[in-house]
């Protein structure tokens, strides 16, 4: 008895060599420390929070109503995320099984010679428990808790992938609609410049216009052709990107893009909500928090490795020296063992230090996820406030350039102004129209980004 107490005392002293665990901040404390001191807020008190607005209500375009379900069903990244959950669940189940003894049923026999020249026969049958570890110090429970947290992290990662996928499909659709709008503008511009070139060529043949006017008109027409080819190529690239997101070719019954970005206007009144909504609804933040919890559990498991491991090996069944009498006599065995690491070349300490470092990494990643979320919301709010104003100004500029071109056409027809004035007006209007489409696209994509940043996409 005295020897057993001495061994246990020595084991406790050796385990204490791991050192006291420093105070680790809770997830709530880390979140509070990572939140920016000043954060812009917006949104009416009676609005629907972004996280409570399903994508089917946020994106009401007829094309998106067909494209997003296809992506959710066929996208490979989302499929991989779902399979990662199954992998994590299987690992967690294996860790949970370590908490229970493994019971095997078997029958065995052996025959060995004796010193007297005879043969000793032993036959056994029954149930056997091999090396069952008594988890007195929480090593197995720590590993099981870490595996369970990884399952929750994998589930949150799947939701994050889903949210990102919905936003990616919406952004790809916006890009495709913008391409269609630019193609329409470019085709109209090309037709106008072709007419101008034909008219200038007639005037040149009649001796009214100079060769400078003719070559300028030709250059302007060729430039429009080049822009048209570029726009056609970009539209095909964006269509290919959309096909990759939905996991297959675009449906044959999908309505053709109209070039109208008004389908995304319902998002313009989306309330931004409160910062707390970002912390509670964004799946990437929840994933980082679960990974932080897994790191804490791994530290506990690494510390428990300094304590002795107590394992039990036993069997219960029957035994006999004759196979015919095997099931007549009962037999049992019980063999506990205690193993205390005395010298492991620093392996346990290195594992503990690694677990602590991994926990610090997980904490930093958690804080970064929170700060990134707040920045994304702040960026979305900034874009929401300025892109609408920029779009209104550009729409007014396009209207002014259209009036300018009409005036230049009239003056050119009347012979008051030169062809260069009309050509300059055409170029200015074309550039203003292109910029307006780009800003409209940016505004729509900013609304999608804000919807995602606030935890929407469910």
């Amino acid at each position: 008895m005295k020897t057993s107490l001495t061994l246990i005392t020595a084991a406790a002293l050796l385990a204490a060599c791991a050192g006291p665990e420093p105070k680790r901040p809770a997830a709530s404390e880390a979140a509070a420390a990572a939140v920016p001191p000043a954060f812009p807020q917006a949104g009416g008190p009676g609005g629907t929070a972004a996280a409570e607005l399903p994508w089917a209500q946020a994106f009401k375009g007829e094309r998106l109503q067909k494209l997003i379900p296809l992506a959710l069903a066929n996208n490979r990244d989302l499929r991989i995320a779902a399979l990662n959950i199954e992998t994590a669940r299987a690992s967690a189940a294996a860790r949970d099984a370590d908490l229970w003894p493994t019971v095997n049923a078997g029958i065995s026999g052996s025959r060995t010679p004796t010193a007297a020249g005879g043969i000793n026969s032993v036959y056994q049958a029954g149930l056997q428990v091999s090396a069952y570890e008594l988890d007195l110090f929480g090593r197995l429970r720590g590993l099981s808790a870490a595996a369970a947290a990884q399952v929750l992290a994998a589930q949150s990662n799947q939701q994050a992938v889903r949210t990102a996928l919905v936003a990616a499909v919406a952004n790809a659709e916006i890009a495709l609609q913008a391409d269609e709008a630019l193609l329409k503008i470019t085709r109209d511009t090309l037709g106008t410049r072709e007419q101008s070139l034909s008219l200038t060529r007639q005037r040149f043949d009649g001796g009214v216009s100079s060769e400078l006017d003719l070559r300028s008109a030709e250059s302007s027409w060729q430039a429009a052709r080049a822009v048209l080819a570029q726009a056609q190529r970009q539209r095909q690239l964006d269509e290919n990107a959309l096909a990759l997101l939905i996991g297959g070719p675009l449906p044959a019954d999908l309505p053709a893009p109209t070039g109208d970005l008004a389908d995304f206007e319902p998002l313009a009144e989306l309330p931004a909500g409160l910062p707390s909504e970002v912390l509670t609804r964004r799946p990437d933040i929840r994933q980082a928090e679960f990974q932080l919890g897994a790191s804490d559990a791994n530290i506990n498991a690494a510390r428990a490795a300094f304590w002795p491991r107590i394992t039990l090996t036993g069997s219960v069944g029957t035994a006999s020296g004759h196979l015919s009498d095997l099931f007549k006599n009962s037999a049992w065995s019980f063999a506990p063992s205690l193993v205390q690491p005395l010298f492991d070349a620093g392996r346990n300490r290195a594992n503990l230090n690694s677990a602590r470092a991994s926990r610090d990494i997980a904490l930093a990643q958690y804080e970064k996820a929170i700060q990134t979320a707040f920045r994304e919301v702040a960026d979305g709010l900034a874009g929401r406030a300025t892109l609408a104003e920029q779009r209104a100004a550009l729409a007014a500029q396009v209207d002014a350039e259209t009036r300018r071109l009409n005036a230049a056409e009239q003056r050119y027809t009347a012979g008051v102004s030169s062809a260069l004035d009309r050509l300059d007006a055409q170029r200015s209007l074309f550039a203003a129209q292109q910029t307006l489409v780009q800003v409209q696209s940016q505004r729509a994509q900013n609304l999608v980004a804000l919807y995602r940043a606030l935890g929407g996409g469910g």
Side-chain angles (χ1 to χ4, degrees):
M1 183 66 180
K2 185 180 296 184
T3 303
S4 300
L5 291 175
T6 303
L7 288 175
I8 294 176
T9 303
L13 292 175
L14 289 171
C17 294
E21 191 63 29
K23 182 180 182 299
R24 303 193 295 267
S28 57
E29 296 174 350
V35 171
F39 182 78
Q41 301 182 17
T48 301
E52 299 173 356
L53 186 64
W55 67 261
Q57 297 180 21
F59 307 112
K60 298 182 178 181
E62 184 179 359
R63 285 171 55 89
L64 281 179
Q65 290 291 321
K66 292 185 176 182
L67 291 172
I68 293 179
L70 285 175
L72 294 177
N74 302 322
N75 183 265
R76 300 309 188 268
D77 290 334
L78 189 58
R79 188 174 302 176
I80 291 172
L83 293 174
N84 285 336
I85 294 178
E86 297 302 320
T87 301
R89 283 175 177 167
S91 299
R95 289 300 184 185
D96 290 341
D98 292 337
L99 296 171
W100 299 89
T102 300
V103 181
N104 299 315
I107 184 170
S108 63
S110 64
R111 303 187 72 185
T112 58
T114 64
I119 297 178
N120 184 25
S121 300
V122 177
Y123 301 96
Q124 292 181 337
L127 303 178
Q128 299 176 350
V129 176
S130 58
Y132 168 55
E133 180 177 347
L134 293 179
D135 192 32
L136 298 180
F137 305 106
R139 188 183 74 87
L140 298 180
R141 289 193 300 273
L143 295 176
S144 178
Q150 290 294 349
V151 173
L152 297 176
Q155 292 174 341
S156 296
N157 176 68
Q158 183 195 31
Q159 184 59 39
V161 173
R162 176 187 172 92
T163 300
L165 178 59
V166 170
V169 173
N171 285 330
E173 173 64 13
I174 291 172
L176 200 58
Q177 294 287 0
D179 294 337
E180 188 64 27
L182 288 174
L183 278 172
K184 288 183 177 180
I185 294 173
T186 305
R187 291 191 184 102
D188 293 342
T189 301
L190 183 61
T192 301
R193 293 185 181 182
E194 189 173 2
Q195 293 176 359
S196 297
L197 175 60
S198 178
L199 179 60
T200 303
R201 183 176 286 111
Q202 292 177 5
R203 294 169 65 90
F204 173 75
D205 293 340
V208 179
S209 297
S210 64
E211 185 177 359
L212 177 62
D213 293 340
L214 177 62
R215 301 312 172 197
S216 296
E218 287 180 348
S219 176
S220 179
W221 177 63
Q222 295 293 351
R225 288 184 59 199
V227 173
L228 178 62
Q230 179 183 2
Q232 290 172 335
R233 180 176 66 254
Q234 187 60 49
R235 186 188 186 282
Q236 186 60 50
L237 294 177
D238 290 336
E239 192 172 275
N240 294 340
L242 184 57
L244 177 62
L245 288 173
I246 67 173
L250 300 182
D253 60 345
L254 187 68
T258 62
D260 187 7
L261 296 174
D263 289 342
F264 301 92
E265 289 306 308
L267 280 177
E269 301 304 323
L270 180 68
L274 299 175
S276 59
E277 180 183 334
V278 178
L279 297 179
T280 59
R281 299 300 182 93
R282 279 186 54 136
D284 56 338
I285 293 181
R286 295 200 303 269
Q287 178 187 2
E289 184 174 352
F290 290 135
Q291 289 174 340
L292 180 59
S295 298
D296 280 335
N298 281 327
I299 289 181
N300 295 334
R303 284 183 56 82
F306 286 87
W307 292 86
R309 296 188 187 181
I310 300 176
T311 58
L312 303 178
T313 301
S315 65
V316 60
T318 61
S320 175
H322 301 281
L323 186 59
S324 59
D325 299 332
L326 175 59
F327 296 100
K328 293 183 178 180
N329 301 314
S330 62
W332 61 271
S333 67
F334 180 69
S337 64
L338 183 148
V339 177
Q340 168 64 46
L342 296 179
F343 176 74
D344 61 357
R347 181 181 295 105
N348 285 339
R349 182 172 297 279
N351 289 335
L352 178 58
N353 291 337
S354 176
R356 288 172 173 170
S358 297
R359 202 271 179 185
D360 292 340
I361 292 173
L363 176 61
Q365 290 174 337
Y366 179 54
E367 293 173 343
K368 180 181 178 181
I370 293 173
Q371 293 173 351
T372 300
F374 277 97
R375 178 187 173 178
E376 289 177 353
V377 175
D379 290 347
L381 293 177
R384 182 186 186 188
T386 57
L387 285 170
E389 182 178 354
Q390 186 179 2
R391 184 189 63 168
L394 286 171
Q397 182 185 5
V398 168
D399 183 68
E401 291 292 348
T402 301
R403 295 174 182 273
R404 175 191 172 193
L405 177 59
N406 292 335
E409 291 282 0
Q410 294 175 1
R411 291 173 62 85
Y412 176 73
T413 303
V416 179
S417 61
S418 65
L420 293 179
D421 293 335
R422 183 187 63 172
L423 181 60
D424 181 65
Q426 289 177 344
R427 291 173 176 171
S428 297
L429 174 60
F430 186 39
Q433 289 173 328
Q434 288 177 307
T435 305
L436 176 59
V437 171
Q438 292 173 355
V439 171
Q440 286 177 328
S441 175
Q442 291 174 4
R443 180 172 183 269
Q445 290 177 343
N446 177 77
L447 294 172
V448 173
L450 181 58
Y451 176 70
R452 176 187 175 186
L454 291 171

